[in-house]
Amino acid sequence: RREPTPTKPTKHPQKCLLILPDPLPVSRLAAQLRLWLLRTTGGRAMADQTAAKMAAECTRLASLSAVPEVAARLEEWATQLSAEAAAAAAVAPAPAPAAPAVVVKSESKPVPKKRPLVTLKQYAWDQAGDNIKIYITINGVHEEGAEVELNVDGPSVEMIARNAGGKDHRLVLRLAGALNADKCTHKVKNNRLILTLRKEASEKWEHLTESDKLAAAAKKPKLGKGDDESSDPSDSIMSMMRDMYQNGDDEMRRVIGKAWTESREKKL
């Protein structure tokens, strides 16, 4: 008996025709076919699909064969392959259900409304020893959610009361003297705020703000050196006001200009 001539591998294993020795049992032949399918197709699911195709091909070839023995053998292969493909399909695990799509709802955070800013102009003050006290009326400053910030730098004072009565309040002052920032505090009362400011130097203040101090000095008559009656007091006042106007800030110039206008109106 001649040995079967080896065939070249093909890209389509389901169309290969295997030439095997004659007395090979059908069950053994089917097992070898299945092992070959597993090796060439790369997986059980693919092998089961290929086995079903090969069973159909064996049935087709059996119907075309003119040799009864060949047709009978092909029918047996087809029956065995069909049975194995059906059994594998029955025990194959069902595909896992697709995970439900997760819909992420982005919660838009409400944009906080910008509170109106109130610039404070009205306040009261007094002094006791080294302390200056400023009293400010602010509705809602004592309520929950309101915040008070006090900033002191030399003679400059800035107070900000946030979210008091739904508004922000701001007071800015430039005082007549320097302050000790480390010893300045504030206290919140019912709809009232008290600023306690420590003076840098222990002296009595005649005026709270620098602008009030300069305005008072501009209105106060000042003679020249000594009691020389020949000297003109107006010249000294004019010289002093000119220096203050040239060296002062915008607030000082405004106060001096106002005092000068009032002085001229009185003369007229």
Side-chain angles (χ1 to χ4, degrees):
R1 179 175 299 181
R2 290 189 307 170
E3 294 294 332
T5 304
T7 59
K8 295 181 179 181
T10 178
K11 296 182 180 179
H12 305 284
Q14 67 272 23
K15 294 183 181 180
C16 292
L17 180 61
L18 299 180
I19 302 176
L20 301 174
D22 184 54
L24 186 64
V26 174
S27 59
R28 183 179 175 186
L29 175 62
Q32 289 190 1
L33 282 173
R34 183 159 186 80
L35 179 60
W36 175 73
L37 288 173
L38 287 172
R39 289 176 178 175
T40 55
T41 58
R44 179 185 181 88
M46 185 65 70
D48 295 337
Q49 295 176 6
T50 307
K53 292 180 180 180
M54 291 188 67
E57 183 65 15
C58 289
T59 302
R60 187 183 71 82
L61 292 177
S63 63
L64 297 177
S65 178
V67 182
E69 291 81 1
V70 174
R73 181 61 61 89
L74 289 172
E75 289 290 349
E76 291 179 358
W77 290 353
T79 302
Q80 185 69 22
L81 290 171
S82 298
E84 289 196 9
V91 299
V102 179
V103 180
V104 179
K105 295 183 179 180
S106 59
E107 298 181 359
S108 58
K109 297 182 179 180
V111 179
K113 297 179 66 176
K114 188 176 181 179
R115 294 184 294 268
L117 177 63
V118 179
T119 301
L120 300 174
K121 297 293 185 181
Q122 296 182 351
Y123 53 87
W125 74 284
D126 65 4
Q127 60 182 318
D130 294 339
N131 293 329
I132 295 287
K133 289 194 175 183
I134 300 177
Y135 304 91
I136 312 168
T137 300
I138 303 177
N139 292 331
V141 71
H142 63 286
E143 296 177 355
E144 184 178 358
E147 298 178 357
V148 177
E149 179 181 344
L150 177 61
N151 300 313
V152 178
D153 183 11
S156 300
V157 176
E158 179 188 37
M159 185 284 304
I160 302 176
R162 296 184 177 88
N163 196 25
K167 300 178 182 179
D168 293 344
H169 301 75
R170 184 170 182 256
L171 174 67
V172 178
L173 297 173
R174 185 173 180 84
L175 303 187
L179 300 173
N180 187 340
D182 295 336
K183 297 184 178 181
C184 295
T185 60
H186 69 276
K187 183 178 293 185
V188 177
K189 298 286 187 177
N190 190 15
N191 294 325
R192 195 181 189 192
L193 185 63
I194 304 175
L195 307 182
T196 302
L197 311 176
R198 179 64 63 87
K199 301 175 186 176
E200 186 71 31
S202 299
E203 59 183 9
K204 184 179 180 180
W205 289 9
E206 298 296 334
H207 306 279
L208 177 64
T209 64
E210 184 181 57
S211 59
D212 292 342
K213 182 178 179 180
L214 294 176
K219 293 180 180 180
K220 185 178 180 180
K222 184 177 181 181
L223 299 177
K225 294 182 179 180
D227 296 328
D228 187 3
E229 295 180 356
S230 62
S231 60
D232 188 356
S234 62
D235 293 341
S236 299
I237 295 175
M238 289 297 297
S239 177
M240 179 191 68
M241 293 184 65
R242 188 182 301 110
D243 293 340
M244 292 173 61
Y245 187 86
Q246 291 177 353
N247 299 325
D249 54 12
D250 293 340
E251 181 67 17
M252 186 186 302
R253 292 176 181 176
R254 185 187 66 80
V255 173
I256 294 175
K258 183 178 178 182
W260 175 256
T261 302
E262 292 177 354
S263 176
R264 289 180 60 84
E265 289 177 352
K266 289 180 181 180
K267 289 181 179 181
L268 295 177

